[in-house]
């Protein structure tokens, strides 16, 4: 589960953290890993759950950072060689990204693939991947699995951490489960099934990791978007979301889903178009306006866009609605603390205290803090962009149940997800995007992965269809 110690263990093996006790043996020899550079010398490379790229540098500069290639004659940077090798790695991963592109201009999924390319460039003997597919599409994931199988054939040892348990059947030989900082079981893949893994993870059986679909009947229109445009990623889109409805948005990397959500939340300004809430045209100029209008947003990039990493769990939860805990111009700390503790307990957020800095929580628990923030408000519309990225199966079940609880209260939910099973099971309606346009709309009872994939790859545009 989140907080079980997986990422901490990875950081010990890769030299970012020092162990308190115990042994690490590499090729049968007890080894003290001094730091990250020493780990690299020992043939260990890693891809952390949180991206470790420099946004202002290019793809090539990030991939070769600390591993630059120089000319044997003049000792200068051999940019031609580095750019060629970068292009080669990106092509292997099936990515159409320019080596000269700035990382800041890439989507989260594209940045994740750059991280993978960077680790592969080191040609290490031991490769650690911590939630590598959390923001990847099915095609990106398949390309990664193909590379993993190639590496295994070359004798590379791989530690692969994932909450997407179905991935293990494609790549794993053995599975080790951690709970509360301890290894609670190791089995060969052929000796354990997904329910068995879940039981080891959470210490109990989960009969279904998805909330059962609600009995949804459209009544009131909560959100209406008319001809919204922000070139080049969002091209004259129109759709509606009903009260008590979950509308899932599917699409490949670069389809424009995140850009659309940022426009609705006023994080980015649209070039043209109109947004209506409960039938009333809105004039939002900022995210503060969106919050006042009753819109909440859980962004795809929680670290940079969703949280203030150096602030506490308490401060992050109450930041957008601090006035609700204020009396006579002063924060009522008792009232604030009571609300925070209730949500920590409700969402099972693993933190030593309410004052722990969010920086030190696991990725899944950071996600829960953002969700708790919006649960504390009276939002009419919630936008969840990859809500279960980096979240374990137990927490997924809780998040799905919360989403259903919110829709039962009349909240309209937009859910962007790259996980097609999640889209299919949670959505009342599914809207599919490709190249900035809507290419299809499917009801839950008529949707399947094949239909969605066909629409994701282009399909027939539905233009400005709104319902």
């Amino acid at each position: 589960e989140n907080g079980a110690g997986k990422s901490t263990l990875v950081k010990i093996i890769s030299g970012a953290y020092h162990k308190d006790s115990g042994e690490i043996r590499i090729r049968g020899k007890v080894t003290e890993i001094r730091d990250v550079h020493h780990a690299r010398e020992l043939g260990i490379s890693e891809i952390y759950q949180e991206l470790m790229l420099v946004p202002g540098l290019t793809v090539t500069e990030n991939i070769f950072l600390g591993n630059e290639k120089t000319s044997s004659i003049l000792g200068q940077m051999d940019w031609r060689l580095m750019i060629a090798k970068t292009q080669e790695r990106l092509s292997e991963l099936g990515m159409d990204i320019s080596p000269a592109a700035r990382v800041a201009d890439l989507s989260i999924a594209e940045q994740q693939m750059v991280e993978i390319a960077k680790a592969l460039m080191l040609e290490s003997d031991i490769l650690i991947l911590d939630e590598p597919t959390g923001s990847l599409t099915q095609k990106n994931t398949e390309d990664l699995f193909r590379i993993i199988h190639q590496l295994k054939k070359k004798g590379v040892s791989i530690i692969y951490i994932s909450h997407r348990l179905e991935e293990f059947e494609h790549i794993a030989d053995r599975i080790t489960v951690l709970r509360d900082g301890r290894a609670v079981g190791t089995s060969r893949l052929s000796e354990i099934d997904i329910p068995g893994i879940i039981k080891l993870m959470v210490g109990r059986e989960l009969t279904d990791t998805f909330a059962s679909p609600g009995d949804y009947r459209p009544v009131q229109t909560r959100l209406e978007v008319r001809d919204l445009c922000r070139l080049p990623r969002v091209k004259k889109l129109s759709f509606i979301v009903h009260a008590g409805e979950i509308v899932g948005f599917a699409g490949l990397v670069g389809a424009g889903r995140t850009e659309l959500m940022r426009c609705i939340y006023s994080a980015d300004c649209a070039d043209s178009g109109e947004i209506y809430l409960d039938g009333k045209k809105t004039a939002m100029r900022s995210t503060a306006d969106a919050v006042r209008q009753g819109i909440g947003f859980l962004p795809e990039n929680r670290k940079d866009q969703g949280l203030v990493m150096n602030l506490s769990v308490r401060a992050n939860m109450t930041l957008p609605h601090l006035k609700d805990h204020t009396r006579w111009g002063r924060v009522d700390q008792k009232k604030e603390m009571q609300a925070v503790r209730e949500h920590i307990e409700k969402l099972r957020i693993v933190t030593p205290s309410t004052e722990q800095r969010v920086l030190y929580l696991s990725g899944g628990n950071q996600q829960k803090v953002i969700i708790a923030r919006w649960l504390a408000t009276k939002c009419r519309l919630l936008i969840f962009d990859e809500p279960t990225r980096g979240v374990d199966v137990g927490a997924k079940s809780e998040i799905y149940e919360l989403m259903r609880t919110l829709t039962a209260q009349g909240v309209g939910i937009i859910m962007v997800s790259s996980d097609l099973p999640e889209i299919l099971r949670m959505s009342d309606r599914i809207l599919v995007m490709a190249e900035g346009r809507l290419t299809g709309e499917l009801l839950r009872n008529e949707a399947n992965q094949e239909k969605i994939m066909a629409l994701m790859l282009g399909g027939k545009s539905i233009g400005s269809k709104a319902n």
Side-chain angles (χ1 to χ4, degrees):
E1 292 183 284
N2 294 122
K6 303 180 299 296
S7 295
T8 301
L9 177 62
V10 166
K11 289 174 182 176
I12 292 171
I13 297 171
S14 61
Y17 289 173
H18 290 287
K19 62 181 175 59
D20 296 326
S21 60
E23 289 183 348
I24 296 175
R25 293 175 180 263
I26 299 178
R27 301 174 193 86
K29 182 180 178 182
V30 176
T31 305
E32 290 295 327
I33 302 175
R34 297 188 299 272
D35 52 35
V36 173
H37 294 292
H38 186 213
R40 294 277 169 85
E41 291 171 5
L42 294 168
I44 302 170
S45 62
E46 70 294 319
I47 300 169
Y48 293 125
Q49 183 178 0
E50 300 296 341
L51 299 175
M52 298 290 178
L53 300 172
V54 183
L57 298 184
T58 67
V59 172
T60 299
E61 289 167 338
N62 269 279
I63 285 178
F64 282 94
L65 191 61
N67 189 37
E68 294 84 356
K69 304 300 178 186
T70 56
S71 168
S72 57
I73 301 174
L74 301 175
Q76 296 178 325
M77 293 280 200
D78 193 338
W79 287 109
R80 181 176 295 180
L81 174 64
M82 289 189 285
I83 290 170
K85 284 186 171 291
T86 297
Q87 187 63 67
E88 182 182 340
R89 283 298 188 199
L90 293 174
S91 297
E92 285 178 2
L93 291 168
M95 295 302 296
D96 184 20
I97 302 173
S98 168
R102 268 198 340 143
V103 162
D105 298 329
L106 303 180
S107 70
I108 293 296
E110 290 169 335
Q111 290 181 28
Q112 185 69 70
M113 295 304 277
V114 171
E115 281 276 26
I116 292 168
K118 180 178 179 179
L120 294 177
M121 195 68 75
L122 297 172
E123 298 183 347
S124 304
D125 299 324
I126 302 168
L127 178 61
I128 307 171
L129 300 96
D130 190 358
E131 295 286 354
T133 63
S135 58
L136 301 187
T137 64
Q138 186 172 342
K139 182 183 181 303
N140 294 150
T141 299
E142 289 170 356
D143 288 332
L144 175 60
F145 288 171
R146 174 175 49 79
I147 297 293
I148 286 174
H149 284 295
Q150 292 174 1
L151 294 172
K152 285 172 66 177
K153 289 178 181 178
K154 294 178 181 178
V156 176
S157 299
I158 296 170
I159 298 173
Y160 187 97
I161 296 170
S162 181
H163 289 130
R164 296 183 174 184
L165 304 186
E166 66 277 5
E167 293 181 346
F168 293 140
E169 64 183 70
H170 299 289
I171 55 171
D173 298 298
R174 287 183 296 122
I175 295 173
T176 291
V177 178
L178 269 64
R179 186 170 75 233
D180 299 330
R182 299 179 183 276
V184 295
T186 296
S187 300
R188 296 199 66 79
L189 180 65
S190 59
E191 297 169 350
I192 194 167
D193 57 10
I194 287 180
I197 297 171
I198 293 172
K199 189 173 182 180
L200 284 172
M201 284 173 60
V202 301
R204 65 188 188 279
E205 292 184 2
L206 290 179
T207 55
D208 189 2
T209 55
F210 291 89
S212 57
D215 184 18
Y216 160 70
R217 291 185 180 89
V219 181
Q220 177 187 356
T221 297
R222 180 67 76 208
L223 170 76
E224 182 176 358
V225 173
R226 296 183 186 174
D227 296 330
L228 199 68
C229 184
R230 181 179 169 84
L231 297 175
R233 289 293 180 91
V234 180
K235 302 170 183 176
K236 215 168 184 181
L237 290 179
S238 298
F239 65 94
I240 65 173
V241 178
H242 298 102
E245 179 185 34
I246 297 177
V247 175
F249 270 77
L252 297 174
V253 174
R257 295 170 300 164
T258 293
E259 290 81 1
L260 171 62
M261 300 309 149
R262 286 177 59 82
C263 285
I264 295 171
Y265 188 61
S266 296
D268 293 328
C269 294
D271 298 328
S272 60
E274 299 173 338
I275 296 174
Y276 293 79
L277 274 173
D278 292 332
K280 183 179 179 181
K281 184 178 177 180
T282 65
M284 297 181 294
R285 295 182 177 83
S286 67
T287 56
D289 286 343
V291 173
R292 281 191 288 269
Q293 293 279 357
I295 302 176
F297 185 37
L298 190 153
E300 179 184 26
N301 186 343
R302 60 175 171 254
K303 186 171 71 171
D304 294 337
Q305 299 172 359
L307 296 164
V308 184
M309 301 300 285
N310 280 317
L311 290 186
S312 66
V313 170
R314 172 189 53 77
N316 271 281
M317 275 192 198
T318 60
L319 196 58
H321 49 91
L322 200 55
K323 65 179 182 180
D324 295 338
H325 307 289
T326 302
R327 292 182 63 189
W328 310 109
R330 295 173 66 95
V331 176
D332 185 338
Q333 294 183 343
K334 185 177 180 181
K335 183 180 178 183
E336 180 192 23
M337 195 65 70
Q338 181 181 351
V340 169
R341 284 173 177 157
E342 284 177 2
H343 283 99
I344 287 175
E345 183 177 347
K346 186 175 184 179
L347 292 180
R348 294 175 63 225
I349 298 173
V350 179
T351 177
S353 77
T354 61
E355 300 310 302
Q356 173 76 311
R357 285 198 289 172
V358 166
L359 174 68
Y360 297 116
L361 299 189
S362 69
N365 283 297
Q366 291 174 357
Q367 193 83 320
K368 288 183 182 181
V369 169
I370 305 176
I371 294 172
R373 171 191 299 165
W374 299 121
L375 289 178
T377 66
K378 296 179 180 178
C379 288
R380 293 183 283 173
L381 177 74
L382 282 172
I383 303 170
F384 287 174
D385 195 349
E386 303 289 355
T388 61
R389 176 174 172 250
V391 171
D392 63 69
V393 288
K396 274 187 182 182
S397 181
E398 294 162 359
I399 291 171
Y400 297 148
E401 196 60 48
L402 279 167
M403 291 170 71
R404 286 297 176 197
T405 299
L406 289 166
T407 55
Q409 296 169 359
V411 177
I413 294 179
I414 299 175
M415 180 181 71
V416 176
S417 178
S418 299
D419 186 344
L420 289 187
E422 180 173 80
I423 284 280
L424 286 164
R425 292 293 298 275
M426 288 302 297
S427 304
D428 297 302
R429 282 187 298 126
I430 300 167
L431 299 181
V432 186
M433 288 183 65
E435 298 180 354
R437 302 182 187 277
L438 288 176
T439 56
E441 177 181 327
L442 300 167
L443 295 176
R444 181 175 58 229
N445 59 7
E446 66 184 10
N448 57 45
Q449 292 203 34
E450 290 74 22
K451 288 182 180 179
I452 294 175
M453 281 302 299
L455 292 168
M456 286 165 65
L457 293 170
K460 182 180 179 181
S461 176
I462 64 172
S464 60
K465 184 176 179 182
N467 53 23

